[in-house]
Amino acid sequence: MFFDEHNLLSNPVWDLSGFDNLAELEVKVKTCNRCALRSGCRGVVFGEGSPKANLVLCGEGPGADEDLQGRPFVGRAGQLLDKILQVCGFERFSHAYILNVVKCRPPGNRTPIAEEIIACSPNLQAQLRILKPKILVLLGAAALQALLDPKGKITRERGNWVKKGELYIMPTYHPAALLRNPNLKKETWEDFKQVVAKYRELVDPGHYSAYC
Ligand code: URA
């Protein structure tokens, strides 16, 4: 296979099926070297939030600020994400868990390529298996394509729930897209209002938000 330079398909060593808690998984994932991204970044950005979260948000990959701090969504897009969460009545460490499709910063903040997404997929899948969220928000096309539909278009899929087993998945725009094009904020707000409604339905009927 074209991406098997790192022996991804036949490498039985990267078996994460035995991990059943996030802290131990994080230690293991921080040793990951399955694609070339790891050699070009400072460190693995595993993700953060409440390990008991019913709501998981998935972005694309760490940027420069995230690589520097070792935390997801801490740059400008992250600050906007925190504001969106706040108006929804969510707080990243109590209601949510935030992670990315790839855990290592792609050079120059380019979009991760297929080989990198495939290489990192066991890490992401293991996180989701352990977290078992009720609601998964896909932030942008990379998350949509990695987790739902490799050919998915965010402009077409956003705002529509996809149900996989017990999990409700909401694709929406990436906060960085909102910074580039503020016209997308209105639709994004509609999507997050749906997330709040679903959270009330599935998790906490008394969930408070001053705005919706
Ligand atoms: N953009 C992402 O997709 N993820 C981050 O963690 C930061 C910016």
Side-chain angles (χ1 to χ4, degrees):
M1 293 289 285
F2 70 98
F3 56 77
D4 209 26
E5 178 188 330
H6 291 263
N7 204 17
L8 299 178
L9 294 182
S10 51
N11 185 354
V13 177
W14 208 253
D15 175 11
L16 304 178
S17 59
F19 288 84
D20 58 9
N21 85 69
L22 278 185
E24 285 171 15
L25 180 68
E26 179 167 1
V27 172
K28 172 74 175 174
V29 169
K30 286 196 164 158
T31 68
C32 182
N33 198 10
R34 284 162 50 82
C35 78
L37 289 182
R38 182 63 190 91
S39 55
C41 71
R42 281 176 191 250
V44 173
V45 179
F46 181 75
E48 72 180 22
S50 165
K52 295 194 178 129
N54 291 295
L55 170 66
V56 168
L57 297 108
C58 181
E60 178 175 305
D65 296 308
E66 290 75 21
D67 187 41
L68 205 59
Q69 296 189 39
R71 299 177 53 209
F73 281 99
V74 291
R76 280 184 71 220
Q79 285 157 22
L80 179 55
L81 181 61
D82 280 335
K83 275 189 198 146
I84 296 170
L85 291 176
Q86 194 192 349
V87 294
C88 291
F90 298 129
E91 195 276 324
R92 72 160 73 190
F93 289 102
S94 29
H95 301 91
Y97 198 94
I98 301 179
L99 42 67
N100 282 301
V101 169
V102 296
K103 316 297 176 200
C104 293
R105 182 193 180 201
N109 295 345
R110 65 158 169 75
T111 305
I113 57 175
E115 290 96 312
E116 294 154 357
I117 293 172
I118 291 166
C120 214
S121 162
N123 299 327
L124 176 59
Q125 293 297 337
Q127 287 178 303
L128 294 174
R129 175 178 54 75
I130 294 169
L131 281 160
K132 284 188 196 58
K134 294 200 162 115
I135 301 168
L136 174 61
V137 177
L138 305 178
L139 300 167
L144 169 68
Q145 291 164 3
L147 285 166
L148 264 190
D149 175 3
K151 293 195 177 352
K153 285 209 173 309
I154 198 69
T155 45
R156 190 182 59 207
E157 316 290 348
R158 62 141 284 276
N160 298 307
W161 288 109
V162 177
K163 192 165 183 245
K164 293 259 178 210
E166 298 296 296
L167 174 65
Y168 284 82
I169 306 175
M170 172 58 73
T172 190
Y173 291 116
H174 192 288
L178 309 185
L179 292 173
R180 288 191 298 270
N181 180 3
N183 292 331
L184 301 178
K185 285 185 180 174
K186 193 167 172 290
E187 285 169 306
T188 306
W189 178 229
E190 295 305 320
D191 301 346
F192 272 93
K193 281 199 281 193
Q194 290 202 67
V195 171
V196 173
K198 189 61 76 185
Y199 192 89
R200 289 193 180 116
E201 182 190 321
L202 299 178
V203 181
D204 177 9
H207 177 74
Y208 177 74
S209 152
Y211 300 92
C212 60

